[in-house]
Amino acid sequence: MFVFAGPLTEIRAQEVLSFSIFASGGVVFAYAELLRRSLRVDIELATGLIKMQRRNWRWGLVRESYLLGRFGRVRSIFAMRGKYPKVRVELVEREHLRALTLAVFSPESYFHDPEPEAAEQLRQEIASFTGMPDGGYEGVRFPMRASVSDSRP
């Protein structure tokens, strides 16, 4: 019988369990970030459609399309939702009840709400490309309800 008498014998089950919980939490957050980055948006002026493609939590491919005519303006907001607020670039429906999030950016600071340069540039490019009014940066806002897809191709 071989008995190891090194520094690893000092490790207790509680420390191993604590490390395992900490490591699995990191894996969950990394997977959530991977899901968030899987979003792809195509705006097709010729067909008047916005096509979105993303992955669900089981890594299944989800495709949705929205009629471009439903939306009246482009805006960006400092979204106060959840533990970590984010800056969102959104298309707002003409009725101003729902919005379609096109991109999410991390804010430069959680203590004040300046718009990141990348979010501003994307908002302006979308407004220019689609011909929709640029609603600008609205600062701290609670997000609107999510737009409902017109079809799932």
Side-chain angles (χ1 to χ4, degrees):
M1 180 174 171
F2 178 72
V3 176
F4 182 73
L8 294 179
T9 58
E10 304 282 325
I11 296 176
R12 295 185 299 261
Q14 181 182 3
E15 293 168 345
V16 171
L17 180 64
S18 298
F19 175 76
S20 298
I21 291 171
F22 180 75
S24 63
V27 169
V28 168
F29 285 117
Y31 187 69
E33 182 66 16
L34 187 63
L35 288 176
R36 186 181 70 78
R37 291 180 183 216
S38 72
L39 178 67
R40 177 185 166 147
V41 179
D42 293 321
I43 300 175
E44 298 177 357
L45 294 179
T47 60
L49 290 175
I50 301 166
K51 294 183 178 180
M52 298 185 78
Q53 180 175 299
R54 61 182 172 82
R55 298 282 180 177
N56 64 16
W57 66 276
R58 294 182 307 181
W59 203 248
L61 192 59
V62 178
R63 292 185 175 124
E64 299 169 326
S65 63
Y66 302 83
L67 293 173
L68 190 59
R70 286 175 44 192
F71 302 96
R73 66 185 170 102
V74 184
R75 75 172 185 171
S76 56
I77 61 168
F78 188 84
M80 298 300 294
R81 183 176 177 187
K83 189 173 182 180
Y84 301 105
K86 299 286 186 187
V87 175
R88 295 178 177 203
V89 176
E90 302 178 327
L91 291 177
V92 179
E93 290 185 358
R94 293 186 187 279
E95 295 82 25
H96 303 288
L97 299 175
R98 296 177 179 264
L100 177 63
T101 301
L102 300 178
V104 178
F105 298 89
S106 294
E108 296 169 0
S109 170
Y110 292 108
F111 301 109
H112 53 59
D113 62 343
E115 180 180 28
E117 190 175 311
E120 179 182 14
Q121 182 179 0
L122 178 62
R123 176 179 45 78
Q124 292 171 348
E125 286 178 5
I126 292 171
S128 173
F129 180 73
T130 61
M132 287 184 199
D134 185 351
Y137 180 60
E138 297 183 3
V140 177
R141 295 280 187 267
F142 192 79
M144 293 180 180
R145 294 176 55 195
S147 289
V148 178
S149 174
D150 290 312
S151 67
R152 288 190 174 198

